[in-house]
Amino acid sequence: MLLLTPVLVAIVCILMVWIFKNADGSSDRKKGEPRAEAHPWVDKDLKDSTDVHQEEAEADEWQESEDEVEHIPFSHNRYPEKEMVKRSQEFYELLNKRRSVRFISNEQVPMEVIDNVIKAAGTAPSGAHTEPWTFVVVKDPDVKHKIREIIEEEEEINYLKRMGPRWVTDLKKFRTNWIKEYLDTAPVLILIFKQVHGFAANGKKKIHYYNEISVSIACGILVAALQNAGLVTVTTTPLNCGPRLRVLLNRPTNEKLLMLLPVGYPSKDATVPNLARKTLDQIMVTV
Amino acid sequence: MLLLTPVLVAIVCILMVWIFKNADGSSDRKKGEPRAEAHPWVDKDLKDSTDVHQEEAEADEWQESEDEVEHIPFSHNRYPEKEMVKRSQEFYELLNKRRSVRFISNEQVPMEVIDNVIKAAGTAPSGAHTEPWTFVVVKDPDVKHKIREIIEEEEEINYLKRMGPRWVTDLKKFRTNWIKEYLDTAPVLILIFKQVHGFAANGKKKIHYYNEISVSIACGILVAALQNAGLVTVTTTPLNCGPRLRVLLNRPTNEKLLMLLPVGYPSKDATVPNLARKTLDQIMVTV
């Protein structure tokens, strides 16, 4: 009966409640976390700059923006109404011919055109004019092949294990799989990195507001610029490959891969899925 | 001494550990949560479709995509190299004249142009061709004014309380504040909603992969199309206003406001901050 002293009872009770509460805590965590079928790597891959906003709490690390900038009169190119309608119609028709092309020939493209389309992308608006983008243009065949190896390795796991049957079914109509020949054949790969924060001249961090949205807007302009120049591409988001590609390309840790665009001319036998776009009344509501 | 029975000791211990563990749990939560300075509303506002991927676990609610689609030969418009260089150069120069303009005249714009720029935006690529966008075009002066009231109310709180001194400083060079006159004066407001999921014909949910990135790409094309047509805009992300604007415009709960673009001609006295863009070698790396 010595065993049932108040002290021992106390110890046993403390242990039991401790274990119970810990079990409780871990099941709580499970509720918050994506479930097994929920593809946590997608969520992780998609994770954007929100954590950077949180870091803002470390006030000393962050640099405030410089003083006020002069404001100047805005000069505008105005066209007659008829010309506006014509220009907007022609722009739509040009872009409506764009398709995501996965069969790209190995023919070289003029590098001046690549410079120009990236300059065009760089005119995109960005949160507080932070311009949080880096465009890595890969022409070197060995580096392209290393990129292909990394992506195919990860994509095979994506298709077979990570994506789940629904995603694989949803992709079926594109006839895509983890073999990405265009990563070797396309004369140029453009890897677009978002800078989740920047650096001021004094080395302190600069907040990049809405960096993922800003860089995606720049990619939209890039896609339009490529179409305008007569080149083809396909917007890809290599799932789970970001960190390895970042290291391969020697990009700093504040840069995260957002998209990869293989760029070139279509190969002679290029095909595309016979998909239609939504009509204007399916995407626009007027109030 | 009756009070110190083993039973009482047990109860006291259970209570103490319980209280201790709860306190521990709440401090854990605080570590995970953004701190006071960290602008949790930004994080919330920026939260994208990742939760939808999590919902995927509820398998019955979700509809798989239809069967395979026919693949057809891709037909391509190829220009001579000289023409490609010229086209890409001119496109860059056109877009490089674009500025975010916050002074918009109340002059009406041709609605055919608005239709065309939205049709152009609708050609954007999207995750698994889900086209997860809704463009709400607001012309009605009363609705525009209600939008202004909602945004100014929230923006005043943003500037005075939510954003914190650093953000306000970073915005200083734009001379912005919570007064948004352009919401009344611009003849057209385009509110762009991302559909965080869609619906199949049978009412089941359809996954919209990478919907925020896709809709941002479409916004990039929209911005280019507006510039090409000779209209001005400013890309705004009305912080914390999404739900109220969604309700005002009768949009369903699967749609979340991503951006608002006031569109029109610049007012006569429009000014812009005298900012420069990064040069090509600051944004491009060649490998």
Side-chain angles (χ1 to χ4, degrees), chain B residues 180-195:
Chain B
K180 311 281 179 193
E181 211 188 326
Y182 56 69
L183 293 173
D184 269 326
T185 61
V188 169
L189 305 179
I190 305 180
L191 289 93
I192 300 108
F193 288 82
K194 58 178 182 182
Q195 300 165 356

Side-chain angles (χ1 to χ4, degrees), chain A residues 67-99:
Chain A
D67 309 314
E68 261 201 58
V69 185
E70 185 197 7
H71 281 230
I72 53 173
F74 171 67
S75 76
H76 181 60
N77 250 12
R78 182 162 172 171
Y79 311 105
E81 283 208 3
K82 229 174 143 178
E83 175 82 2
M84 289 173 75
V85 173
K86 186 167 169 274
R87 288 180 67 91
S88 61
Q89 176 71 25
E90 284 171 356
F91 192 69
Y92 160 64
E93 284 167 9
L94 170 75
L95 293 190
N96 198 32
K97 287 190 201 122
R98 190 198 58 76
R99 295 300 310 264

Side-chain angles (χ1 to χ4, degrees), chain B residues 270-284:
Chain B
T271 59
V272 289
N274 195 8
L275 298 169
R277 295 201 163 103
K278 288 181 182 168
T279 57
L280 185 60
D281 62 306
Q282 289 177 302
I283 65 170
M284 186 174 93

Side-chain angles (χ1 to χ4, degrees), chain B residues 109-155:
Chain B
V109 296
M111 286 313 293
E112 210 180 328
V113 174
I114 300 300
D115 287 357
N116 283 338
V117 295
I118 290 175
K119 276 156 78 181
T123 69
S126 56
H129 192 54
T130 44
E131 305 175 279
W133 36 67
T134 306
F135 300 90
V136 181
V137 174
V138 180
K139 297 187 289 176
D140 184 290
D142 292 338
V143 180
K144 282 196 296 169
H145 192 69
K146 276 183 197 148
I147 291 173
R148 179 176 177 177
E149 283 174 347
I150 289 173
I151 292 182
E152 290 192 344
E153 209 179 296
E154 296 291 341
E155 283 282 86

Side-chain angles (χ1 to χ4, degrees), chain A residues 205-278:
Chain A
K205 291 179 184 174
K206 258 175 62 189
I207 301 174
H208 281 176
Y209 304 97
Y210 299 106
N211 62 76
E212 179 162 297
I213 293 175
S214 304
V215 181
S216 300
I217 290 176
C219 286
I221 295 177
L222 181 58
V223 162
L226 287 166
Q227 173 67 9
N228 174 69
L231 292 172
V232 298
T233 189
V234 51
T235 44
T236 71
T237 44
L239 190 60
N240 234 27
C241 307
R244 288 175 71 185
L245 294 176
R246 184 181 67 69
V247 170
L248 175 72
L249 298 169
N250 286 315
R251 301 311 306 157
T253 52
N254 66 320
E255 297 189 1
K256 313 270 178 218
L257 182 68
L258 183 67
M259 258 175 265
L260 184 155
L261 271 61
V263 172
Y265 301 106
S267 58
K268 277 205 187 83
D269 51 359
T271 59
V272 289
N274 194 9
L275 298 168
R277 293 201 165 104
K278 289 181 182 169

Side-chain angles (χ1 to χ4, degrees), chain B residues 256-276:
Chain B
K256 314 270 179 219
L257 183 68
L258 183 68
M259 257 175 266
L260 183 155
L261 272 62
V263 172
Y265 300 106
S267 58
K268 278 203 187 82
D269 51 0
T271 59
V272 289
N274 195 8
L275 298 169

Side-chain angles (χ1 to χ4, degrees), chain A residues 189-204:
Chain A
L189 306 180
I190 305 179
L191 290 92
I192 300 109
F193 288 82
K194 57 177 185 185
Q195 300 165 356
V196 295
H197 65 80
F199 292 101
N202 61 5
K204 285 195 178 183

Side-chain angles (χ1 to χ4, degrees), chain B residues 20-33:
Chain B
F20 171 72
K21 281 295 291 178
N22 268 341
D24 195 43
S26 69
S27 78
D28 267 6
R29 219 170 299 130
K30 260 180 207 144
K31 256 179 248 161
E33 263 178 19

